[in-house]
Amino acid sequence: MDELNDLYERLLAVKCTEDKTHCLQDILDILEGDGIDRTKASECAVERHVLTKLLEIICGTGESELCLEKAMQLVAELSKIESVRSPCVSEGLVAPLVGFLSSENRDICVQACRALGNICYDNDDGRDEVFAHSGAQLVVELMRSSVGLSEEPFPRLRLVACGCLLNLANTHESVQEQALLAGALGVLQDFLLQHRTDDRLLQMSLMCVDALADSERGRDAISDSSLVNSIADLLKTTQGREMRDAILELLASLAENDAIKLQLAKSSLVDALLGIFSDCKFCDENSNTEKLAADLIVLILTGDGSMEQFYNEAQGIVYQETVAWLSSPRPHLQAAGALAMGNFARNDIHCIQLVHEGVAEKLLQLLERTKDDVEEEGVPEGLGRCATLQHAVLSALRNLAIPAANKPVLAQTQLVERVLPCIKTDCSPVQFKLLATFRMLVDGQERVIESITSNEEFLQRLAVSCTAEDHAGVKGEACRLVAWMVKHCPSAHVLQRLVDARLCPHLVQMASSEHAVMQNEALLALSLLTTSCKDAIATQDLRDPLLPTLKKLLEDPTTQPEINHNILTLCKVMAGKDEYKPILLELNLKNSVQKLVSSDDKNLKVAAKTLIDALKNA
């Protein structure tokens, strides 16, 4: 350090440009060498006002180009240290460095880019200064001037300028917009097309695209260009694993945009991805490239247009590939295949076709294998990759069970019996999808309801799920499943099972839900239960919270007509039963109903009059 301190002092004192150049070079040799504490050395430079001297050299007249270059190179080296970046900004170095981006001396341009890139790394104050002096525009112009040129220093200039743009634009929307307006995407596309043998430049360019895609304007600009097609083409011709992974990660980031999803689905990406899966068949089972490729397909499938493109009336090559994943020995392909099926199963036509082609059976076979996998791993069920796979399979089965035409077909595959073992899981996302699958299946399927309600363990688990305060989705699905089973099963003995399992209290609580759909479902279920099962809500602990809730809803002017109608229906059923009449009269429910007699809704008006008459006769 003593030698370096002496050099700092010497730099501050020398006047001759040649002496300054030699001194700068000597300092650089030490900083770039081994065995030096660079943080301490750089902070010492700040303390000794070296930055002020460097600003003087860069802004001065009469300095040689080599001296200027070395001064900027020293700024670049010093600003590699985080604590030096803000002092560089406050010292006023940014503006003159931006000015030298237009220099005809490309070596100076390289060092100016390096200095600005390092100063602005994770430093918004520096980025603000660069933006204020149109620095991003100048960097893009510098990049453009280097396209296609192979002689030095242009290869290095391309790489350094690209890195500079990355550090400027990363997370800074104003700089991103300035770069986009300057045509940064077109220049980056030129880099990808014309410099495919320069892996470092390609990776830096991909990172720049990702940074510019951070804003909505950037994503829209990319979707309006042919850049994603060039990136997809690059994936097809790239052999290096690291580069492939970088491309796949970028495409996954870009594919958050639906327009880009569709572009990718129509591009050469499909061939490139299929090539990756073919190459990985004999690779390590944990191939990260294969996982990234599979995840990218699943992500693209979340777009409606791109999903249809891949499906192509069940003839699409991507659709056929993902179906094959369901039989793969690789867990990540199995889960990706199940997720893909869930995405394809987004309309009735697809769902019916998928079931007809045996996809549901493949999913069930895959689900059945997870139990054995859990036992072999020796871990609690519902954790790790098995839970991920169960969640994906149940998501797909739930979608397949939505069309009415599929429900009896799925019931015949013994789907209920084959997925019931999943009730033992403690994994809330799996519980949620399992309950949702059952809810879709019980619609109009009395035999399915008969089957699941005859399983005491299922009813016990269902009751617990109805009180799952730590997962609102599980609680909601469980309560809705109870309501749907009541609605779709006219069998009194099956309804009595639900009453005996103490599931009615959850319907009472559901009647005060903030969601109108759930309120209606609960009220309808309570009406049916009260009609069929004498003791459904006869106990005081159920009546006491329910009836005041009904009265409050009737008196609330914001209550939807359909909900009021279902309340009136339930109250009419109760008014016809001796055990409820005194309570209804005591609540003075007649006055609460009276205002509905003047409702504009004809059905609601009739129902209100009917209930008032029933209460008069009580």
Side-chain angles (χ1 to χ4, degrees):
M1 282 293 296
D2 290 341
E3 181 184 1
L4 189 59
N5 287 333
D6 290 342
L7 286 170
Y8 286 157
E9 291 299 326
R10 181 182 162 202
L11 178 63
L12 295 174
V14 294
K15 303 296 184 182
C16 171
T17 186
E18 186 176 350
D19 290 341
K20 292 175 188 176
T21 305
H22 287 308
C23 190
L24 289 167
Q25 184 60 60
D26 290 341
I27 294 172
L28 287 167
D29 289 341
I30 294 176
L31 287 177
E32 294 172 352
D34 297 327
I36 183 75
D37 185 337
R38 297 190 182 185
T39 300
K40 186 176 180 180
S42 299
E43 291 176 346
C44 182
V46 176
E47 294 170 1
R48 291 177 176 273
H49 306 291
V50 172
L51 294 182
T52 304
K53 183 65 175 182
L54 292 173
L55 178 65
E56 177 188 308
I57 294 171
I58 293 171
C59 294
T61 58
E63 304 290 358
S64 69
E65 289 189 337
L66 183 58
C67 185
L68 291 171
E69 179 189 340
K70 294 302 177 183
M72 294 178 204
Q73 186 178 350
L74 182 53
V75 174
E77 290 302 320
L78 294 174
S79 57
K80 287 180 178 179
I81 304 304
E82 182 179 0
S83 58
V84 179
R85 293 168 194 155
S86 291
C88 285
V89 177
S90 58
E91 192 67 45
L93 281 163
V94 171
L97 287 170
V98 169
F100 276 102
L101 293 175
S102 302
S103 173
E104 294 183 3
N105 184 321
R106 295 313 190 193
D107 290 320
I108 287 179
C109 292
V110 167
Q111 297 305 331
C113 279
R114 288 188 64 230
L116 289 169
N118 289 344
I119 290 171
C120 294
Y121 180 80
D122 200 20
N123 180 7
D124 279 346
D125 288 340
R127 292 165 180 161
D128 290 341
E129 277 292 299
V130 171
F131 171 75
H133 293 87
S134 302
Q137 178 180 341
L138 294 173
V139 172
V140 172
E141 290 173 0
L142 197 59
M143 292 165 60
R144 185 180 289 111
S145 71
S146 70
V147 173
L149 301 177
S150 58
E151 64 274 13
E152 288 294 346
F154 291 106
R156 189 177 185 216
L157 178 61
R158 277 192 293 272
L159 182 63
V160 171
C162 197
C164 178
L165 180 62
L166 174 62
N167 286 357
L168 294 177
N170 194 27
T171 73
H172 198 288
E173 194 165 335
S174 296
V175 173
Q176 292 166 14
E177 184 168 348
Q178 191 175 88
L180 290 168
L181 289 172
L185 292 179
V187 177
L188 291 168
Q189 186 171 9
D190 287 339
F191 282 3
L192 297 177
L193 292 172
Q194 297 189 40
H195 300 284
R196 293 195 173 187
T197 59
D198 188 342
D199 283 353
R200 291 178 64 196
L201 178 63
L202 293 179
Q203 288 190 330
M204 193 69 74
S205 299
L206 294 174
M207 288 190 287
C208 271
V209 173
D210 194 25
L212 293 174
D214 190 45
S215 67
E216 184 176 351
R217 180 185 179 92
R219 290 188 292 274
D220 289 343
I222 291 171
S223 68
D224 291 339
S225 71
S226 60
L227 179 58
V228 291
N229 294 320
S230 298
I231 298 172
D233 289 341
L234 182 63
L235 180 64
K236 192 174 180 180
T237 59
T238 297
Q239 298 301 316
R241 180 173 175 175
E242 186 176 347
M243 180 62 70
R244 276 185 170 185
D245 289 358
I247 295 171
L248 289 169
E249 288 170 355
L250 172 59
L251 291 176
S253 175
L254 297 178
E256 296 293 339
N257 179 286
D258 280 349
I260 293 177
K261 285 186 181 77
L262 184 56
Q263 270 187 292
L264 290 172
K266 293 180 176 181
S267 72
S268 62
L269 178 67
V270 173
D271 292 337
L273 294 178
L274 293 177
I276 288 173
F277 296 127
S278 178
D279 293 345
C280 290
K281 282 183 180 178
F282 306 103
C283 295
D284 180 1
E285 181 179 320
N286 297 315
S287 168
N288 186 58
T289 303
E290 185 178 63
K291 290 178 184 178
L292 290 171
D295 290 345
L296 178 56
I297 282 183
V298 173
L299 177 58
I300 294 172
L301 281 171
T302 60
D304 291 336
S306 50
M307 181 272 289
E308 291 288 357
Q309 183 75 22
F310 278 170
Y311 188 66
N312 192 24
E313 299 181 356
Q315 301 302 311
I317 191 168
V318 173
Y319 164 71
Q320 294 171 1
E321 174 74 18
T322 52
V323 170
W325 292 350
L326 299 177
S327 304
S328 169
R330 302 193 178 195
H332 61 269
L333 287 184
Q334 294 171 358
L339 289 170
M341 294 307 106
N343 280 310
F344 284 125
R346 291 218 297 273
N347 63 55
D348 285 2
I349 294 175
H350 288 190
C351 288
I352 292 169
Q353 286 178 330
L354 290 170
V355 170
H356 178 72
E357 293 191 359
V359 168
E361 178 60 31
K362 290 179 183 292
L363 288 166
L364 287 168
Q365 291 174 5
L366 190 53
L367 187 66
E368 288 169 336
R369 293 207 297 271
T370 64
K371 182 176 183 298
D372 296 332
D373 289 343
V374 171
E375 292 174 352
E376 289 172 9
E377 291 173 5
V379 298
E381 188 170 358
L383 298 176
R385 64 179 177 84
C386 289
T388 299
L389 183 56
Q390 289 173 343
H391 183 268
V393 170
L394 290 169
S395 296
L397 289 172
R398 181 260 183 198
N399 287 0
L400 292 176
I402 293 175
N406 279 355
K407 298 181 192 294
V409 179
L410 292 174
Q412 289 173 8
T413 66
Q414 295 188 312
L415 185 149
V416 171
E417 293 78 7
R418 294 165 77 177
V419 302
L420 263 175
C422 291
I423 64 172
K424 297 177 181 179
T425 182
D426 292 323
C427 178
S428 295
V430 175
Q431 292 175 346
F432 176 72
K433 289 300 180 181
L434 177 65
L435 294 167
T437 302
F438 282 144
R439 185 165 65 85
M440 292 300 105
L441 279 172
V442 300
D443 185 0
Q445 300 299 307
E446 186 176 351
R447 290 178 61 185
V448 171
I449 301 173
E450 172 77 39
S451 175
I452 60 177
T453 56
S454 64
N455 187 304
E456 290 187 12
E457 183 181 8
F458 169 76
L459 291 177
Q460 291 171 0
R461 286 275 183 167
L462 182 58
V464 171
S465 296
C466 286
T467 61
E469 298 297 338
D470 59 334
H471 197 292
V474 169
K475 180 179 180 179
E477 275 298 339
C479 293
R480 294 189 74 192
L481 176 56
V482 175
W484 279 44
M485 287 193 291
V486 172
K487 176 182 178 181
H488 294 287
C489 187
S491 175
H493 77 277
V494 172
L495 295 180
Q496 190 61 48
R497 288 177 190 167
L498 300 177
V499 174
D500 294 342
R502 297 290 297 158
L503 291 170
C504 291
H506 307 302
L507 293 176
V508 171
Q509 186 180 35
M510 184 176 162
S512 58
S513 169
E514 60 184 13
H515 302 293
V517 171
M518 293 180 67
Q519 276 188 314
N520 275 321
E521 290 174 353
L523 293 167
L524 177 58
L526 289 168
S527 297
L528 294 171
L529 280 170
T530 305
T531 302
S532 302
C533 303
K534 182 178 180 180
D535 57 343
I537 54 173
T539 58
Q540 186 176 357
D541 64 322
L542 293 182
R543 292 197 312 263
D544 285 356
L546 175 61
L547 295 176
T549 296
L550 300 181
K551 179 180 172 65
K552 182 179 179 181
L553 286 170
L554 286 172
E555 293 174 349
D556 186 346
T558 65
T559 302
Q560 296 179 9
E562 186 180 358
I563 293 175
N564 276 329
H565 195 280
N566 283 331
I567 293 173
L568 295 174
T569 301
L570 174 57
C571 290
K572 182 174 179 294
V573 172
M574 289 191 288
K577 294 182 179 291
D578 293 337
E579 58 268 33
Y580 299 114
K581 288 178 183 177
I583 303 170
L584 293 173
L585 292 173
E586 185 180 339
L587 279 172
N588 198 16
L589 200 65
K590 188 186 302 182
N591 288 343
S592 302
V593 177
Q594 188 66 49
K595 66 182 180 65
L596 298 179
V597 173
S598 57
S599 170
D600 293 334
D601 188 308
K602 184 181 295 185
N603 292 332
L604 191 59
K605 182 185 296 187
V606 171
K609 288 180 179 178
T610 302
L611 178 56
I612 289 173
D613 291 341
L615 291 172
K616 285 179 180 178
N617 297 328

